[in-house]
Amino acid sequence: MTFNLLDEQWIPVRTADGKRRRIAPWEITSTEHNDPVAAVDSPRADFNGALIQFLIGLVQTSDLVPPREPDWGCLFRSPPDAESLREAFDVHRDAFFLSGDGPRFLQDMQDLAQHKGAEWHMEDLLMDIPGNGHFVKARDRDGFCFGCTATALYCLHINAPEGGRGNLTGLRGGGPLTTILLPPHERLWETVWLNVISREDLASMPANASSNGKQDIFPWLAPTRTGEPTFPHDVHPLQLYWSMPRRIRIDFDTLGSGVCDICGQSSDRLVQRYFTRPHGVAYRGPWKHPLTPYSIDKDGVPLSRKARAGSINYRNWIGLVVKSTETADKAGSRQLPALVVERFMGNRRNTVRKGSRAPLWGFGYDMDHMKARCWFDGKMSIHAVSDRIVRAYEVQTERMVKAAITIGGYLNWCLKQAWFSESATVRGDFGFLATAFWTGSEPDFFEHLNNLIDELEKASAEPPVATLRSWHQYLCRLALRLFDEYAASGSIEDEDPARIAKARNKLKGLNWGKKVRVDILQLPEQQKTPTT
């Protein structure tokens, strides 16, 4: 019994008309009954994140990839038909057998059941299910269908957290943040192609692009490298998309029947267990995945950004949308968006109608070591701007965000001055202040972004003073409003009106001071601190 992921219709999708069906990977450009495929549509949000990365990796590994960046736009405008995709994918068909006698997709070559492998129930592949020991037959579960088995396997490998006892983290570290560009109008092919890089970009990765062995792309086609670390120069850069940090072997010999625990489909071939051994591929060194933003430390080492609840908002604009253009942060790090975002902000935005927005979809597991605290999933818009203003757009948006970070910090500090005496020991979580500030200002940030674009398009060599001044004034008003709302929110006996008034005046002085107006926003020296 064999199941090949390139042949079978196992990927759940939603069409433009809202219909739900399952397709084979080569059907992503299908327009059956003039109803194109819009998006992946799994019952689980983390599976959607895994499926879109699987499809991006599959296309990236094919010969459809453009040699150079200028060639990229052709297939975005004119997608290949289903048969062309099928032929392009079939080159690697032998690497995508989920079951069978030969190498199996993302599984160890050894029969781990016969080599002291630990036995686990299928649901233990899910990162949000706490592991509780070996396989327990008493669990009221039927098992996973083959499609959900493949998705769960891929999802674990690309997000693999610290696992203890030789269970290794993924190539991007545990719980990486993934950022995917979405087209203005949902089309699955356009989503995939927006996040594929050129062969020229791939060859520039710190990896062994001259490698011709398939096992250097798909590590399960050879015995697992367990005895030594795997650095980028040891394998082909395409292994970025097919990393295998865990040793897992699915049991396809003992199948059950019933309803899939994930998707609810009835089947007489439900997978119920798998076997593991410690020490999969140990990824080390300067790996940089094209779908993940990084910070580059003072020694030049790339550190992947981690998924954190609320991490897709304009506070993180620097590093998600634009790279640091000025000085590094206090730790000496520079922030870099994912390579696919950099490419969009370069030439690719010209393929999207000027003035429209391309949503940035970010997601990942917010991890606390081995424990998944939550699955984070968020979106934020990126504008497609003209070549003439793109550089100014990046510089000015960075200044707007830095101004907000600075004033938000002043608000936090001055509120503590209002609440507590100088000799008080302050403990506790004040995250609610940041939430109120950033959530409250986000709609106005994007409104000012629209104004910024208009001003940059109309202006000659002058900086966008009107927009920057309006943004500064808005932030100052918001900070004072939040200060007034929270300053007197404590118990009456602890309030000190004089201390509150002093802290409020301090906040006004800081917000209207030279650091924000001149050093960050570079506004002309003509504003005075308001009296209210």
Side-chain angles (χ1 to χ4, degrees):
M1 175 194 62
T2 60
F3 186 96
N4 192 288
L5 298 175
L6 301 186
D7 299 336
E8 305 288 342
Q9 292 179 313
W10 62 279
I11 297 177
V13 297
R14 172 174 44 80
T15 68
D17 284 348
K19 298 183 180 68
R20 287 173 169 79
R21 58 191 178 97
R22 288 176 180 257
I23 64 170
W26 51 271
E27 294 179 295
I28 59 176
T29 57
S30 169
T31 56
E32 184 179 337
H33 305 301
N34 293 318
D35 190 15
V37 178
V40 291
D41 189 45
S42 169
R44 288 178 59 99
D46 59 339
F47 277 27
N48 283 333
L51 287 168
I52 194 63
Q53 290 183 80
F54 173 88
L55 291 171
I56 292 167
L58 189 57
V59 173
Q60 186 73 67
T61 309
S62 74
D63 61 5
L64 295 168
V65 175
R68 300 176 306 110
E69 188 60 27
D71 306 318
W72 174 87
C74 297
L75 287 183
F76 184 83
R77 292 183 289 268
S78 302
D81 59 31
E83 281 306 311
S84 298
L85 278 179
R86 190 172 200 165
E87 291 177 9
F89 294 163
D90 270 353
V91 174
H92 298 300
R93 188 172 182 276
D94 57 330
F96 288 90
F97 283 98
L98 182 68
S99 61
D101 296 331
R104 297 179 181 178
F105 176 72
L106 282 176
Q107 296 169 67
D108 199 90
M109 290 192 79
Q110 282 191 333
D111 182 354
L112 299 184
Q114 305 298 321
H115 290 81
K116 300 180 181 180
E119 185 180 354
W120 296 86
H121 192 281
M122 285 304 294
E123 72 174 16
D124 290 311
L125 279 178
L126 306 177
M127 290 177 56
D128 57 341
I129 302 294
N132 55 0
H134 297 308
F135 178 65
V136 181
K137 293 184 179 179
R139 285 180 177 169
D140 185 20
R141 299 287 186 272
D142 290 338
F144 291 5
C145 69
F146 282 22
C148 288
T149 295
T151 311
L153 191 60
Y154 187 73
C155 189
L156 175 61
H157 279 299
I158 61 176
N159 293 297
E162 173 186 334
R165 299 193 306 275
N167 293 320
L168 305 179
T169 60
L171 179 144
R172 292 176 271 178
L177 176 64
T178 299
T179 54
I180 301 289
L181 283 158
L182 301 176
H185 305 288
E186 278 192 316
R187 292 292 185 271
L188 185 53
W189 167 256
E190 291 182 4
T191 298
V192 170
W193 196 245
L194 266 174
N195 295 281
V196 166
I197 61 173
S198 69
R199 272 179 258 164
E200 187 176 47
D201 271 338
L202 194 67
S204 69
M205 296 282 183
N208 185 8
S210 64
S211 170
N212 294 316
K214 274 194 175 184
Q215 70 275 9
D216 287 335
I217 299 174
F218 308 108
W220 57 91
L221 296 182
T224 305
R225 292 172 57 104
T226 59
E228 56 185 329
T230 295
F231 292 92
H233 61 263
D234 293 323
V235 296
H236 194 281
L238 282 169
Q239 193 167 142
L240 284 161
Y241 299 89
W242 309 110
S243 58
M244 197 175 76
R246 302 290 178 90
R247 295 185 69 188
I248 294 172
R249 184 82 171 181
I250 307 294
D251 179 10
F252 289 101
D253 296 327
T254 309
L255 300 177
S257 62
V259 174
C260 174
D261 298 337
I262 301 294
C263 67
Q265 280 204 336
S266 297
S267 175
D268 58 0
R269 296 192 303 169
L270 293 180
V271 183
Q272 297 183 315
R273 64 180 184 173
Y274 66 97
F275 295 87
T276 66
R277 294 268 336 249
H279 302 295
V281 181
Y283 294 100
R284 301 287 186 271
W287 293 94
K288 280 183 64 180
H289 197 288
L291 302 178
T292 288
Y294 285 81
S295 61
I296 309 299
D297 72 12
K298 56 182 173 47
D299 297 319
V301 177
L303 305 171
S304 65
R305 292 276 291 270
K306 304 304 179 186
R308 293 289 181 263
S311 56
I312 300 296
N313 58 41
Y314 88 92
R315 179 179 187 174
N316 299 300
W317 188 268
I318 306 165
L320 290 184
V321 180
V322 300
K323 59 186 175 183
S324 305
T325 60
E326 298 176 3
T327 56
D329 60 24
K330 292 181 180 178
S333 298
R334 292 181 296 111
Q335 305 300 316
L336 296 179
L339 180 58
V340 294
V341 177
E342 284 195 58
R343 291 294 168 262
F344 178 81
M345 294 303 293
N347 292 325
R348 293 188 180 186
R349 62 195 156 68
N350 294 323
T351 63
V352 179
R353 184 171 55 86
K354 190 181 79 171
S356 62
R357 297 184 181 187
L360 183 67
W361 174 27
F363 53 79
Y365 272 106
D366 185 336
M367 301 299 301
D368 180 11
H369 299 291
M370 291 182 283
K371 179 183 177 182
R373 288 184 287 217
C374 71
W375 170 261
F376 167 72
D377 196 314
K379 291 178 182 175
M380 180 173 68
S381 293
I382 303 177
H383 292 76
V385 298
S386 67
D387 289 343
R388 190 176 69 82
I389 70 165
V390 63
R391 176 58 180 164
Y393 171 80
E394 292 177 341
V395 171
Q396 301 301 343
T397 54
E398 180 177 2
R399 288 172 181 165
M400 289 170 65
V401 173
K402 285 185 175 180
I405 291 172
T406 303
I407 288 178
Y410 290 157
L411 171 64
N412 186 70
W413 184 75
C414 289
L415 270 173
K416 290 180 182 178
Q417 296 293 309
W419 284 333
F420 307 104
S421 65
E422 293 183 6
S423 60
T425 301
V426 181
R427 294 188 178 89
D429 182 7
F430 296 92
F432 65 92
L433 291 176
T435 299
F437 180 81
W438 291 103
T439 302
S441 59
E442 187 156 66
D444 286 85
F445 173 77
F446 286 104
E447 182 180 336
H448 279 82
L449 220 54
N450 290 329
N451 296 338
L452 174 71
I453 293 169
D454 290 342
E455 192 172 359
L456 288 173
E457 290 284 9
K458 294 173 183 175
S460 54
E462 295 298 321
V465 173
T467 300
L468 296 180
R469 180 174 290 140
S470 172
W471 176 239
H472 176 233
Q473 291 169 348
Y474 166 76
L475 290 174
C476 291
R477 290 195 304 271
L478 175 65
L480 280 180
R481 179 172 64 78
L482 290 175
F483 181 94
D484 292 340
E485 179 180 338
Y486 286 108
S489 61
S491 58
I492 294 177
E493 60 270 20
D494 291 334
E495 287 183 13
D496 184 334
R499 190 172 64 218
I500 292 174
K502 181 180 178 181
R504 192 179 193 276
N505 287 332
K506 184 70 172 176
L507 176 62
K508 287 164 55 180
L510 289 169
N511 288 347
W512 286 88
K514 181 176 178 291
K515 179 175 180 180
V516 178
R517 288 188 300 106
V518 179
D519 296 348
I520 296 176
L521 292 173
Q522 299 194 6
L523 289 169
E525 279 274 28
Q526 61 183 36
Q527 292 176 294
K528 303 294 183 182
T529 305
T531 57
T532 60

